[in-house]
């Protein structure tokens, strides 16, 4: 791994994430501008290997929207030309190409896809999407469907299950346990006197100590309960403020600002509880490492954790004397290490019980799981076939009636309608000169028929949207493909690194209204 080469991204997903990228094998179906833009971002990011599948030749028109081909490429294999250009961007990426139509490959050689970590399927029609999704689910291969069509685009992730340990939420409460301190933290807090006469010492008591002490005092006079009502919370903050000697005490200001951490509910969140109660949390010999660790977490929460997940072990910056801060750090780290050792023992016991090597899950993996135990995510995606044949009628009708979402839902319906149109008329609406009015009329009829099949009788699409769809003529505009290619590659990185949470639903880009929206169908 070249740390200097990938320095910026290493700061985002770390060496573990970069390692996962460098081991990944990515297959791209169709290397028009949409596919080329998505793959370009991954090649620059240092993905392990790429395979491009495209049976077409470079035409003169391709030079206007695809930067991965040039005049010398005209008449040549599009897959070969694109592969060569991408290889120039990062020679450490292994690249190969196959000159064959993806639609044909899906039908004739379904086992081909099982060799890849992930497939980026671009510009496929509905029938091929359904077939590929079925194949990849059986082979446990991730798929990202991407389609660009004029000023609109679609991105859809498909995988049976995607589990995430390091979900990196934007905002998350520090794991300080101010509302549920453990004995060692309580013992340390008791050694510090809030009524110390030395003004400098008083100004450098960490807010963690202040809040644990204040919370303890509060519960003694409130039947063991922490503040819960709005009035009580305000009263508690005033109680903390009353302990200030002067207005320049930043540590007390920090305590007042962080008082909400005392009010937070104890124990694990409902989302983590739901994961612990999942049927997959009953481990078997086929269980993934993730679910084995969830089973251990479930045991830990019910026993040693006393309702809590393992402690993360880090504390934020705060106004404090160096001595107090270092002592606090040691206490939090010691508790986190103790929780990890208990979790490690439980993981090994479970592995032994299900007939697997007790050391098959590494210490760093268990440690990472413990550190992120409050942030676990499980994403499950509907099969594309189910979405197409049995979408949520209520959701479709709600979106069509909603001014904010009607454009996205309209484009979703029309993207599916153009595939029906193509199946009937062997061309996309507006693809060739002449006959535009007839294509508009036919597309409108096709869209109404699709809406009726989806159970949305009486729903209509705006004529302007239908006219625009025909005006697009199935073109891939570079400005749109560059944008949606970036979106798609971002989702690929989330899936491969197992960091951040990938999109759940069907993403629609509306270039007319400049909107990006997610539809849950």
């Amino acid at each position: 791994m070249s740390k200097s080469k990938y320095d910026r991204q290493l700061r985002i997903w770390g060496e573990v994430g970069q390692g996962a990228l460098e081991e990944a094998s990515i297959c791209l179906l169709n290397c028009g501008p949409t596919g080329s833009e998505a793959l370009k971002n991954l090649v620059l990011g240092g993905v392990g290997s790429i395979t491009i599948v495209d049976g077409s030749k470079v035409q003169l028109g391709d030079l206007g929207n695809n930067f991965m081909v040039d005049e010398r490429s005209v008449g040549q294999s599009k897959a070969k030309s694109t592969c060569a250009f991408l290889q120039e961007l990062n020679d450490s990426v292994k690249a190969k190409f196959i000159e064959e139509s993806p639609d044909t490959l899906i039908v004739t050689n379904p086992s081909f896809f099982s060799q890849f970590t992930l497939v980026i399927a671009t510009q496929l029609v509905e029938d091929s999407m359904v077939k590929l999704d079925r194949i990849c689910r059986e082979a446990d291969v991730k798929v990202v469907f991407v389609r660009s069509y004029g000023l609109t685009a679609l991105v859809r992730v498909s995988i049976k299950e995607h589990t995430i340990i390091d979900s990196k939420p934007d905002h998350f409460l520090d794991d300080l346990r101010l509302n549920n301190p453990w004995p060692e933290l309580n013992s340390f807090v008791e050694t510090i006197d809030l009524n110390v006469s030395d003004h400098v010492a008083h100004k450098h008591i960490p807010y963690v100590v202040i809040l644990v002490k204040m919370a303890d005092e509060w519960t003694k006079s409130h039947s063991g309960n922490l503040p819960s009502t709005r009035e009580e919370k305000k009263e508690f903050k005033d109680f903390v403020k009353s302990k200030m000697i002067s207005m320049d005490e930043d540590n007390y200001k920090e305590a007042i600002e962080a008082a909400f951490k005392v009010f937070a509910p104890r124990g694990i969140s409902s989302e983590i509880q739901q994961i612990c109660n999942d049927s997959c949390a009953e481990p078997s010999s086929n269980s993934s490492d993730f679910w084995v660790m969830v089973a251990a977490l479930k045991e830990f929460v019910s026993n040693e954790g006393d309702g809590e997940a393992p402690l993360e072990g880090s504390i934020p910056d705060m106004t404090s004397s160096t001595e107090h801060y270092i002592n606090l750090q040691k206490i939090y780290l010691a508790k986190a290490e103790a929780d990890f050792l208990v979790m490690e023992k439980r993981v090994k016991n479970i592995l032994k019980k299900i007939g697997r090597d007790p050391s098959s899950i590494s210490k760093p993996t268990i440690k990472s799981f413990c550190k992120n135990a409050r942030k676990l995510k499980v994403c499950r995606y509907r099969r594309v076939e189910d979405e197409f044949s049995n979408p949520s009628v209520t959701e479709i009708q709600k979106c069509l009636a909603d001014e904010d979402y009607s454009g996205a839902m309209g484009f979703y319906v029309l993207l599916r309608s153009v595939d029906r149109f193509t199946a009937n008329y062997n061309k996309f609406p507006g693809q060739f000169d002449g006959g535009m009015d007839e294509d508009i009329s036919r597309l409108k009829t096709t869209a109404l028929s699709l809406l009726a099949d989806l159970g949305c009788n009486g729903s209509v699409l705006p004529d302007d949207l239908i006219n625009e769809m025909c005006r697009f003529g199935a073109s891939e505009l570079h400005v749109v493909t560059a944008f949606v290619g970036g979106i798609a590659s971002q989702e690929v990185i989330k899936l491969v690194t197992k960091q951040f949470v990938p999109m759940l639903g069907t993403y629609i880009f509306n270039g007319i209204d400049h909107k990006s929206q997610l539809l849950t169908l």
Side-chain angles (χ1 to χ4, degrees):
M1 183 189 299
S2 172
K3 290 190 178 181
S4 58
K5 188 175 187 179
Y6 302 122
D7 177 63
R8 288 188 179 182
Q9 60 206 50
L10 280 167
R11 300 180 197 199
I12 300 171
W13 50 71
E15 289 188 24
V16 173
Q18 187 62 34
L21 267 181
E22 293 181 10
E23 288 174 12
S25 174
I26 308 294
C27 176
L28 172 69
L29 303 185
N30 291 317
C31 58
T34 306
S36 297
E37 287 293 333
L39 204 54
K40 173 203 72 180
N41 299 325
L42 298 172
V43 167
L44 289 170
V47 73
S49 66
I50 59 169
T51 300
I52 299 173
V53 180
D54 194 317
S56 63
K57 305 291 184 187
V58 178
Q59 298 178 358
L60 205 57
D62 293 322
L63 307 185
N65 65 0
N66 192 342
F67 284 127
M68 301 302 146
V69 295
D70 61 16
E71 290 178 2
R72 294 169 297 174
S73 311
V74 175
Q76 303 294 315
S77 159
K78 192 183 287 186
K80 183 179 179 181
S81 300
T82 304
C83 195
F85 270 83
L86 288 172
Q87 187 85 72
E88 285 180 25
L89 296 178
N90 191 344
D91 58 11
S92 64
V93 175
K94 295 172 186 171
K96 63 179 182 178
F97 62 92
I98 294 171
E99 292 180 60
E100 189 170 349
S101 162
D103 296 314
T104 305
L105 195 64
I106 289 167
V107 174
T108 60
N109 190 9
S111 62
F112 168 80
F113 299 99
S114 62
Q115 63 185 293
F116 300 106
T117 309
L118 184 145
V119 176
I120 304 173
T122 71
Q123 305 305 95
L124 293 186
V125 294
E126 191 170 304
D127 184 51
S128 293
M129 285 176 71
V130 169
K131 287 174 183 171
L132 180 66
D133 185 49
R134 206 179 291 145
I135 291 164
C136 289
R137 277 175 179 257
E138 285 177 10
D140 202 24
V141 173
K142 304 170 181 70
V143 187
V144 177
F145 292 103
V146 196
R147 189 166 188 184
S148 171
Y149 199 103
L151 288 173
T152 187
L154 173 151
V155 178
R156 165 74 148 79
V157 172
S158 188
I159 179 176
K160 271 191 276 192
E161 179 183 273
H162 180 65
T163 55
I164 311 153
I165 293 173
D166 191 0
S167 61
K168 298 189 188 298
D170 289 335
H171 305 287
F172 213 79
L173 204 60
D174 298 314
D175 192 15
L176 298 177
R177 306 283 166 91
L178 304 181
N179 55 0
N180 194 10
W182 62 99
E184 290 80 5
L185 179 58
N186 273 326
S187 299
F188 172 70
V189 167
E190 285 168 12
T191 64
I192 299 173
D193 182 10
L194 292 188
N195 299 315
V196 63
S197 56
D198 184 343
H199 182 58
V200 175
H202 195 265
K203 285 174 68 172
H204 288 86
I205 299 171
Y207 80 74
V208 167
V209 173
I210 295 168
L211 288 175
V212 170
K213 271 189 175 293
M214 296 283 94
D216 183 52
E217 279 190 50
W218 175 279
T219 53
K220 283 174 182 173
S221 59
H222 290 79
S223 308
N225 297 316
L226 289 167
S228 57
T229 66
R230 190 174 180 180
E231 291 74 22
E232 285 179 339
K233 290 173 183 178
K234 184 180 184 303
E235 190 182 335
F236 180 80
K237 288 182 179 180
D238 291 340
F239 179 39
V240 175
K241 193 173 183 179
S242 69
K243 299 290 181 179
M244 293 177 75
I245 294 174
S246 63
M247 293 309 294
D248 67 339
E249 293 187 313
D250 289 337
N251 57 333
Y252 275 87
K253 290 176 186 176
E254 288 170 3
I256 293 164
E257 285 177 11
F260 71 94
K261 296 174 184 178
V262 173
F263 316 144
R266 290 173 176 169
I268 59 175
S269 68
S270 58
E271 189 173 1
I272 300 303
Q273 187 65 62
Q274 196 176 346
I275 291 173
C276 287
N277 293 340
D278 195 288
S279 59
C280 292
E282 300 296 329
S284 69
S285 56
N286 297 322
S287 294
S288 67
D289 291 355
F290 177 87
W291 287 112
V292 169
M293 290 187 288
V294 168
L297 173 65
K298 189 176 181 179
E299 291 179 3
F300 177 91
V301 171
S302 301
N303 295 283
E304 299 87 357
D306 191 25
E308 300 278 4
L311 189 76
E312 286 181 27
S314 58
I315 59 173
D317 288 337
M318 62 188 78
T319 303
S320 169
S321 66
T322 303
E323 183 186 358
H324 285 338
Y325 190 80
I326 289 172
N327 285 333
L328 261 184
Q329 268 187 329
K330 286 177 180 176
I331 289 164
Y332 275 86
L333 284 170
K335 169 66 171 164
E337 182 64 20
D339 286 354
F340 157 70
L341 291 172
V342 171
M343 275 288 290
E344 184 185 32
K345 188 176 178 182
R346 289 196 171 276
V347 168
K348 286 186 173 184
N349 287 340
I350 291 169
L351 287 169
K352 192 175 180 181
K353 199 185 298 181
I354 61 176
R356 284 171 57 184
D357 177 2
S359 303
S360 59
I361 302 179
S362 69
K363 281 191 176 189
T365 301
I366 300 171
K367 204 153 223 173
S368 174
F369 185 91
C370 291
K371 187 179 179 183
N372 294 287
R374 299 184 307 136
K375 306 165 189 171
L376 307 176
K377 294 282 182 184
V378 177
C379 303
R380 292 184 174 119
Y381 296 84
R382 288 187 79 189
R383 295 188 310 160
V384 170
E385 188 173 7
D386 292 342
E387 179 186 314
F388 285 169
S389 61
N390 189 27
S392 168
V393 177
T394 310
E395 190 68 22
I396 293 173
Q397 290 174 333
K398 188 176 82 176
C399 289
L400 287 172
D402 186 323
E403 190 178 340
D404 285 337
Y405 277 84
S406 60
M409 183 53 74
F411 274 132
Y412 173 80
V413 172
L414 286 169
L415 281 167
R416 293 191 56 193
S417 300
V418 296
D419 286 346
R420 284 196 177 190
F421 183 104
T422 307
N424 291 330
Y425 303 109
N426 294 317
K427 66 162 190 169
F428 287 104
Q431 187 174 8
F432 304 117
D433 291 339
M436 180 66 82
D437 290 342
E438 186 180 25
D439 282 358
I440 290 170
S441 174
R442 284 173 170 176
L443 182 59
K444 186 174 184 177
T445 304
T446 305
L448 290 172
S449 170
L450 175 62
L451 283 168
D453 290 349
L454 296 176
C456 297
N457 283 306
S459 297
V460 293
L461 299 179
D463 286 344
D464 287 352
L465 218 54
I466 295 168
N467 294 348
E468 282 299 300
M469 207 68 181
C470 289
R471 192 172 71 86
F472 296 159
S475 60
E476 292 179 77
L477 305 179
H478 184 262
V479 66
V480 175
T481 63
F483 178 77
V484 77
I487 297 285
S489 56
Q490 184 172 276
E491 295 309 301
V492 171
I493 288 169
K494 291 177 188 176
L495 291 164
V496 170
T497 62
K498 291 197 170 187
Q499 296 180 27
F500 302 95
V501 182
M503 293 188 294
L504 277 164
T506 301
Y507 166 86
I508 299 290
F509 171 66
N510 177 348
I512 295 173
D513 296 332
H514 310 290
K515 285 182 179 177
S516 291
Q517 289 164 316
L518 209 55
L519 305 177
T520 309
L521 301 166

PDB file of all heavy atoms in Angstrom, residues 46-65:
ATOM      1  N   GLY A  46      -7.510   3.303  -6.160  1.00  0.00           N
ATOM      2  CA  GLY A  46      -6.635   2.161  -5.914  1.00  0.00           C
ATOM      3  C   GLY A  46      -7.334   0.838  -5.725  1.00  0.00           C
ATOM      4  O   GLY A  46      -6.875  -0.006  -4.950  1.00  0.00           O
ATOM      5  N   VAL A  47      -8.439   0.636  -6.451  1.00  0.00           N
ATOM      6  CA  VAL A  47      -9.117  -0.654  -6.380  1.00  0.00           C
ATOM      7  C   VAL A  47      -8.189  -1.743  -6.938  1.00  0.00           C
ATOM      8  O   VAL A  47      -7.330  -1.465  -7.766  1.00  0.00           O
ATOM      9  CB  VAL A  47     -10.459  -0.583  -7.157  1.00  0.00           C
ATOM     10  CG1 VAL A  47     -10.238  -0.557  -8.655  1.00  0.00           C
ATOM     11  CG2 VAL A  47     -11.395  -1.700  -6.770  1.00  0.00           C
ATOM     12  N   GLY A  48      -8.358  -2.981  -6.453  1.00  0.00           N
ATOM     13  CA  GLY A  48      -7.417  -4.047  -6.828  1.00  0.00           C
ATOM     14  C   GLY A  48      -7.399  -4.381  -8.303  1.00  0.00           C
ATOM     15  O   GLY A  48      -6.363  -4.311  -8.966  1.00  0.00           O
ATOM     16  N   SER A  49      -8.552  -4.764  -8.850  1.00  0.00           N
ATOM     17  CA  SER A  49      -8.601  -5.132 -10.272  1.00  0.00           C
ATOM     18  C   SER A  49      -9.948  -4.765 -10.868  1.00  0.00           C
ATOM     19  O   SER A  49     -10.965  -4.710 -10.166  1.00  0.00           O
ATOM     20  CB  SER A  49      -8.353  -6.638 -10.444  1.00  0.00           C
ATOM     21  OG  SER A  49      -9.411  -7.382  -9.875  1.00  0.00           O
ATOM     22  N   ILE A  50      -9.945  -4.512 -12.171  1.00  0.00           N
ATOM     23  CA  ILE A  50     -11.181  -4.179 -12.889  1.00  0.00           C
ATOM     24  C   ILE A  50     -11.300  -5.067 -14.123  1.00  0.00           C
ATOM     25  O   ILE A  50     -10.297  -5.438 -14.735  1.00  0.00           O
ATOM     26  CB  ILE A  50     -11.227  -2.688 -13.312  1.00  0.00           C
ATOM     27  CG1 ILE A  50     -10.037  -2.343 -14.232  1.00  0.00           C
ATOM     28  CG2 ILE A  50     -11.257  -1.780 -12.094  1.00  0.00           C
ATOM     29  CD1 ILE A  50     -10.146  -0.982 -14.910  1.00  0.00           C
ATOM     30  N   THR A  51     -12.526  -5.411 -14.454  1.00  0.00           N
ATOM     31  CA  THR A  51     -12.820  -6.135 -15.692  1.00  0.00           C
ATOM     32  C   THR A  51     -13.956  -5.402 -16.382  1.00  0.00           C
ATOM     33  O   THR A  51     -15.027  -5.211 -15.789  1.00  0.00           O
ATOM     34  CB  THR A  51     -13.237  -7.594 -15.406  1.00  0.00           C
ATOM     35  OG1 THR A  51     -12.170  -8.254 -14.719  1.00  0.00           O
ATOM     36  CG2 THR A  51     -13.546  -8.334 -16.691  1.00  0.00           C
ATOM     37  N   ILE A  52     -13.716  -4.979 -17.617  1.00  0.00           N
ATOM     38  CA  ILE A  52     -14.735  -4.242 -18.380  1.00  0.00           C
ATOM     39  C   ILE A  52     -15.379  -5.178 -19.399  1.00  0.00           C
ATOM     40  O   ILE A  52     -14.678  -5.849 -20.161  1.00  0.00           O
ATOM     41  CB  ILE A  52     -14.112  -3.026 -19.102  1.00  0.00           C
ATOM     42  CG1 ILE A  52     -13.516  -2.049 -18.080  1.00  0.00           C
ATOM     43  CG2 ILE A  52     -15.142  -2.326 -19.976  1.00  0.00           C
ATOM     44  CD1 ILE A  52     -12.735  -0.899 -18.697  1.00  0.00           C
ATOM     45  N   VAL A  53     -16.704  -5.224 -19.387  1.00  0.00           N
ATOM     46  CA  VAL A  53     -17.449  -6.054 -20.340  1.00  0.00           C
ATOM     47  C   VAL A  53     -18.279  -5.137 -21.236  1.00  0.00           C
ATOM     48  O   VAL A  53     -19.178  -4.439 -20.764  1.00  0.00           O
ATOM     49  CB  VAL A  53     -18.374  -7.055 -19.613  1.00  0.00           C
ATOM     50  CG1 VAL A  53     -19.127  -7.911 -20.637  1.00  0.00           C
ATOM     51  CG2 VAL A  53     -17.584  -7.932 -18.658  1.00  0.00           C
ATOM     52  N   ASP A  54     -17.950  -5.115 -22.514  1.00  0.00           N
ATOM     53  CA  ASP A  54     -18.680  -4.290 -23.484  1.00  0.00           C
ATOM     54  C   ASP A  54     -18.369  -4.813 -24.881  1.00  0.00           C
ATOM     55  O   ASP A  54     -17.197  -4.961 -25.234  1.00  0.00           O
ATOM     56  CB  ASP A  54     -18.264  -2.815 -23.352  1.00  0.00           C
ATOM     57  CG  ASP A  54     -19.209  -1.865 -24.083  1.00  0.00           C
ATOM     58  OD1 ASP A  54     -19.605  -2.181 -25.237  1.00  0.00           O
ATOM     59  OD2 ASP A  54     -19.563  -0.819 -23.508  1.00  0.00           O
ATOM     60  N   GLY A  55     -19.392  -5.090 -25.655  1.00  0.00           N
ATOM     61  CA  GLY A  55     -19.173  -5.651 -26.985  1.00  0.00           C
ATOM     62  C   GLY A  55     -19.227  -4.641 -28.106  1.00  0.00           C
ATOM     63  O   GLY A  55     -19.081  -5.003 -29.280  1.00  0.00           O
ATOM     64  N   SER A  56     -19.416  -3.366 -27.785  1.00  0.00           N
ATOM     65  CA  SER A  56     -19.587  -2.354 -28.836  1.00  0.00           C
ATOM     66  C   SER A  56     -18.257  -1.752 -29.290  1.00  0.00           C
ATOM     67  O   SER A  56     -17.227  -1.903 -28.638  1.00  0.00           O
ATOM     68  CB  SER A  56     -20.512  -1.245 -28.350  1.00  0.00           C
ATOM     69  OG  SER A  56     -19.937  -0.571 -27.244  1.00  0.00           O
ATOM     70  N   LYS A  57     -18.317  -1.042 -30.428  1.00  0.00           N
ATOM     71  CA  LYS A  57     -17.160  -0.330 -30.973  1.00  0.00           C
ATOM     72  C   LYS A  57     -17.294   1.157 -30.691  1.00  0.00           C
ATOM     73  O   LYS A  57     -18.408   1.678 -30.546  1.00  0.00           O
ATOM     74  CB  LYS A  57     -17.056  -0.547 -32.493  1.00  0.00           C
ATOM     75  CG  LYS A  57     -17.016  -2.012 -32.940  1.00  0.00           C
ATOM     76  CD  LYS A  57     -15.728  -2.700 -32.540  1.00  0.00           C
ATOM     77  CE  LYS A  57     -15.680  -4.129 -33.074  1.00  0.00           C
ATOM     78  NZ  LYS A  57     -14.497  -4.864 -32.550  1.00  0.00           N
ATOM     79  N   VAL A  58     -16.172   1.844 -30.633  1.00  0.00           N
ATOM     80  CA  VAL A  58     -16.194   3.294 -30.421  1.00  0.00           C
ATOM     81  C   VAL A  58     -16.693   3.977 -31.686  1.00  0.00           C
ATOM     82  O   VAL A  58     -16.182   3.732 -32.783  1.00  0.00           O
ATOM     83  CB  VAL A  58     -14.794   3.827 -30.055  1.00  0.00           C
ATOM     84  CG1 VAL A  58     -14.826   5.344 -29.882  1.00  0.00           C
ATOM     85  CG2 VAL A  58     -14.272   3.160 -28.787  1.00  0.00           C
ATOM     86  N   GLN A  59     -17.700   4.826 -31.528  1.00  0.00           N
ATOM     87  CA  GLN A  59     -18.244   5.594 -32.655  1.00  0.00           C
ATOM     88  C   GLN A  59     -17.871   7.058 -32.485  1.00  0.00           C
ATOM     89  O   GLN A  59     -17.483   7.500 -31.406  1.00  0.00           O
ATOM     90  CB  GLN A  59     -19.760   5.415 -32.718  1.00  0.00           C
ATOM     91  CG  GLN A  59     -20.192   3.974 -32.954  1.00  0.00           C
ATOM     92  CD  GLN A  59     -21.705   3.810 -32.953  1.00  0.00           C
ATOM     93  OE1 GLN A  59     -22.443   4.759 -32.747  1.00  0.00           O
ATOM     94  NE2 GLN A  59     -22.160   2.584 -33.173  1.00  0.00           N
ATOM     95  N   LEU A  60     -18.023   7.801 -33.552  1.00  0.00           N
ATOM     96  CA  LEU A  60     -17.654   9.219 -33.533  1.00  0.00           C
ATOM     97  C   LEU A  60     -18.400   9.969 -32.433  1.00  0.00           C
ATOM     98  O   LEU A  60     -17.842  10.834 -31.751  1.00  0.00           O
ATOM     99  CB  LEU A  60     -17.954   9.842 -34.908  1.00  0.00           C
ATOM    100  CG  LEU A  60     -17.130  11.072 -35.292  1.00  0.00           C
ATOM    101  CD1 LEU A  60     -15.641  10.772 -35.255  1.00  0.00           C
ATOM    102  CD2 LEU A  60     -17.542  11.575 -36.669  1.00  0.00           C
ATOM    103  N   GLY A  61     -19.677   9.630 -32.233  1.00  0.00           N
ATOM    104  CA  GLY A  61     -20.487  10.300 -31.216  1.00  0.00           C
ATOM    105  C   GLY A  61     -19.970  10.100 -29.801  1.00  0.00           C
ATOM    106  O   GLY A  61     -20.223  10.921 -28.908  1.00  0.00           O
ATOM    107  N   ASP A  62     -19.234   9.008 -29.580  1.00  0.00           N
ATOM    108  CA  ASP A  62     -18.706   8.733 -28.238  1.00  0.00           C
ATOM    109  C   ASP A  62     -17.673   9.770 -27.806  1.00  0.00           C
ATOM    110  O   ASP A  62     -17.439   9.963 -26.609  1.00  0.00           O
ATOM    111  CB  ASP A  62     -18.060   7.339 -28.184  1.00  0.00           C
ATOM    112  CG  ASP A  62     -19.075   6.220 -28.356  1.00  0.00           C
ATOM    113  OD1 ASP A  62     -20.190   6.361 -27.821  1.00  0.00           O
ATOM    114  OD2 ASP A  62     -18.760   5.227 -29.034  1.00  0.00           O
ATOM    115  N   LEU A  63     -17.022  10.420 -28.784  1.00  0.00           N
ATOM    116  CA  LEU A  63     -15.973  11.393 -28.453  1.00  0.00           C
ATOM    117  C   LEU A  63     -16.547  12.620 -27.751  1.00  0.00           C
ATOM    118  O   LEU A  63     -15.826  13.353 -27.077  1.00  0.00           O
ATOM    119  CB  LEU A  63     -15.221  11.829 -29.708  1.00  0.00           C
ATOM    120  CG  LEU A  63     -14.634  10.707 -30.584  1.00  0.00           C
ATOM    121  CD1 LEU A  63     -13.823  11.307 -31.723  1.00  0.00           C
ATOM    122  CD2 LEU A  63     -13.760   9.778 -29.750  1.00  0.00           C
ATOM    123  N   GLY A  64     -17.851  12.843 -27.915  1.00  0.00           N
ATOM    124  CA  GLY A  64     -18.473  14.028 -27.324  1.00  0.00           C
ATOM    125  C   GLY A  64     -18.877  13.866 -25.868  1.00  0.00           C
ATOM    126  O   GLY A  64     -19.187  14.857 -25.204  1.00  0.00           O
ATOM    127  N   ASN A  65     -18.915  12.615 -25.372  1.00  0.00           N
ATOM    128  CA  ASN A  65     -19.359  12.463 -23.981  1.00  0.00           C
ATOM    129  C   ASN A  65     -18.537  11.468 -23.154  1.00  0.00           C
ATOM    130  O   ASN A  65     -18.873  11.192 -22.012  1.00  0.00           O
ATOM    131  CB  ASN A  65     -20.842  12.072 -23.926  1.00  0.00           C
ATOM    132  CG  ASN A  65     -21.118  10.709 -24.534  1.00  0.00           C
ATOM    133  OD1 ASN A  65     -20.201  10.032 -25.011  1.00  0.00           O
ATOM    134  ND2 ASN A  65     -22.377  10.305 -24.530  1.00  0.00           N
TER     135      ASN A  65
END
